[in-house]
Structures are given as structure tokens and as C-alpha cells.
């Protein structure tokens, strides 16, 4: 009977810190009106003002994307007549990528001034534009962590590491979801809303299987 080679399986983790250099702003407009056409037209006009305000600051149209559109009715139940439509609500969503992070406060101020009462600010995400490179560095650190741990365990057993048999890499763990903004009124104050980049952590894990040598 052939004896199977002894192996050791270790999962390593790695984390790198990166300074975000990209802001992704989630915006929206919402218009409520008694008339269907006026409701839709009002939302379209508000969304157009937002796009114009953003592009007037030099944001490329390729960095402005429509992220949602809806038109719904609001109804109430009334005796004698039953369900009745009392208003319509139209919403549209936009995401804007700000590649010069220092300009994010200026952009926030511009959209608040142009959007008016129809504006909705859903959140702000600070991202690392070259996340692939940061993820690769985290993955390399995870492999090194796994190798160091495997070597320690092999030494405890009086063995040494042989060749790698298998590598299983988990997806990178990127920074969290967009940060919800407070009330829009805060962004429309005389003083601009500060946007601080801070640092983001990008993590990765790798499970590696080694053969053990005598």
C-alpha cells in the first residue's frame, strides 16, 4: 500500500493600508406632484440640473452615471369611491466619481445649490482607485503569513516544508459601504462640508497546502 504524503494546510491573512484617492457620491432627486406629467418633468429637470452642476466643475460625463429611476403613485382609500390616486412620486439616482478628492466639498456644495428641495444625498464612499494593486499586496502578505505559520508547525513536528500542493485564495475584503451623509442642510451651510480621506484597509486570505519533508 502506497503511503500518502504528509501535508500541512494553513490559512494566512494579510492587510495593507491605503489612502483613498477617489470619492463616489451617491445622489438622487425626488419630486412629488399631483399630476403625473408634472411629477416626471420636475424630476427630469432636477436631475438635469445636477448633471449640469457636476459637469460644470470639470467632472467627465463618463464619471456620472444614472443609478436608478422610478415613478410611482400614492393612493388613499376613501369611502364611496374606493382607492384614489392623490399624488405621484418620481425619483432618479446618480453616482458621481470625483477623482480629485480635494474637490469633493466643492462638488457637494454645487449639487446642494442646484438640486434644491428635490435633492437627496444618499452617501459618500471613499475608495482606492488602484485597488487591484493594493489587493495583490494584501494577498502576497497573506501567503507569507501562511508560509511562516506552516514552517513553524513543521518544525514543531520535526519536519520541513516541501513543495506547495494547493493554493486557495479568497476574494479581497475591500473598505465598507458608502458613509451616509447627515441632513442635506449641513452640506449647504456657509462652511463647506469637510471630506477627509483617512486610511482604508484592504485584506486578503490565502489557504496553502504544503507537503512535509523529512
Amino acid at each position: 500500500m502506497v503511503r500518502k504524503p504528509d501535508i500541512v494546510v494553513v490559512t494566512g491573512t494579510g492587510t495593507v493600508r491605503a489612502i483613498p484617492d477617489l470619492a463616489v457620491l451617491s445622489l438622487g432627486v425626488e419630486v412629488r406632484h399631483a399630476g403625473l406629467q408634472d411629477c416626471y418633468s420636475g424630476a427630469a429637470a432636477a436631475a438635469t440640473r445636477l448633471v449640469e452642476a457636476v459637469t460644470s466643475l470639470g467632472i467627465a460625463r463618463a464619471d456620472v452615471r444614472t443609478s436608478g429611476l422610478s415613478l410611482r403613485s400614492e393612493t388613499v382609500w376613501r369611502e364611496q369611491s374606493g382607492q384614489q390616486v392623490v399624488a405621484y412620486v418620481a425619483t432618479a439616482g446618480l453616482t458621481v466619481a470625483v477623482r480629485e478628492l480635494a474637490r469633493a466639498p466643492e462638488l457637494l456644495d454645487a449639487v446642494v445649490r442646484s438640486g434644491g428641495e428635490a435633492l437627496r444625498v444618499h452617501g459618500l464612499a471613499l475608495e482606492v482607485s488602484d485597488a487591484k494593486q493594493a489587493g495583490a499586496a494584501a494577498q502576497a502578505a497573506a501567503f507569507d503569513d501562511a508560509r511562516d505559520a506552516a514552517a513553524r508547525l513543521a518544525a514543531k513536528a520535526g519536519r520541513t516544508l516541501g513543495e506547495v500542493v494547493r493554493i486557495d485564495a479568497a476574494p479581497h475584503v475591500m473598505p465598507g459601504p458608502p458613509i451616509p451623509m447627515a441632513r442635506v442642510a449641513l452640506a449647504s451651510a456657509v462652511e463647506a462640508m469637510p471630506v477627509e480621506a483617512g486610511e482604508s484597509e484592504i485584506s486578503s486570505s490565502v489557504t496553502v497546502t504544503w507537503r512535509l519533508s523529512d
Side-chain angles (χ1 to χ4, degrees):
M1 180 177 179
V2 179
R3 179 173 176 269
K4 292 184 179 180
D6 294 329
I7 60 172
V8 59
V9 182
V10 177
T11 297
T13 59
T15 300
V16 298
R17 292 180 176 273
I19 298 176
D21 57 354
L22 173 69
V24 179
L25 189 60
S26 298
L27 304 172
V29 295
E30 181 176 294
V31 174
R32 184 177 186 275
H33 201 280
L36 175 62
Q37 185 61 50
D38 289 335
C39 180
Y40 183 83
S41 297
T48 298
R49 290 196 302 272
L50 280 185
V51 173
E52 290 175 349
V54 167
T55 54
S56 69
L57 292 178
I59 303 296
R61 283 192 173 270
D63 289 330
V64 183
R65 180 172 61 88
T66 299
S67 56
L69 178 66
S70 72
L71 180 61
R72 71 178 190 276
S73 61
E74 290 186 344
T75 60
V76 296
W77 175 265
R78 290 174 177 156
E79 293 294 337
Q80 308 300 327
S81 55
Q83 201 82 0
Q84 297 290 307
V85 175
V86 294
Y88 295 92
V89 179
T91 62
L94 292 172
T95 58
V96 181
V98 186
R99 300 188 183 277
E100 295 180 57
L101 199 55
R103 301 194 66 189
E106 178 187 5
L107 179 66
L108 277 168
D109 185 64
V111 298
V112 168
R113 293 178 186 277
S114 65
E117 294 297 325
L119 176 66
R120 302 292 182 269
V121 181
H122 300 304
L124 176 70
L126 300 179
E127 300 181 358
V128 178
S129 59
D130 194 0
K132 185 177 181 179
Q133 180 177 349
Q139 197 172 67
F143 181 89
D144 292 343
D145 182 52
R147 182 183 56 203
D148 292 344
R152 288 194 301 271
L153 291 173
K156 288 287 186 181
R159 311 286 290 277
T160 58
L161 290 183
E163 65 181 358
V164 173
V165 176
R166 177 171 175 170
I167 300 175
D168 295 301
H172 306 314
V173 179
M174 306 303 290
I179 304 168
M181 300 296 290
R183 295 181 60 83
V184 170
L186 293 177
S188 63
V190 175
E191 185 175 351
M193 175 73 73
V195 176
E196 301 295 337
E199 281 189 332
S200 292
E201 288 188 350
I202 299 175
S203 301
S204 185
S205 65
V206 176
T207 301
V208 188
T209 303
W210 280 272
R211 284 195 174 92
L212 292 176
S213 301
D214 294 326

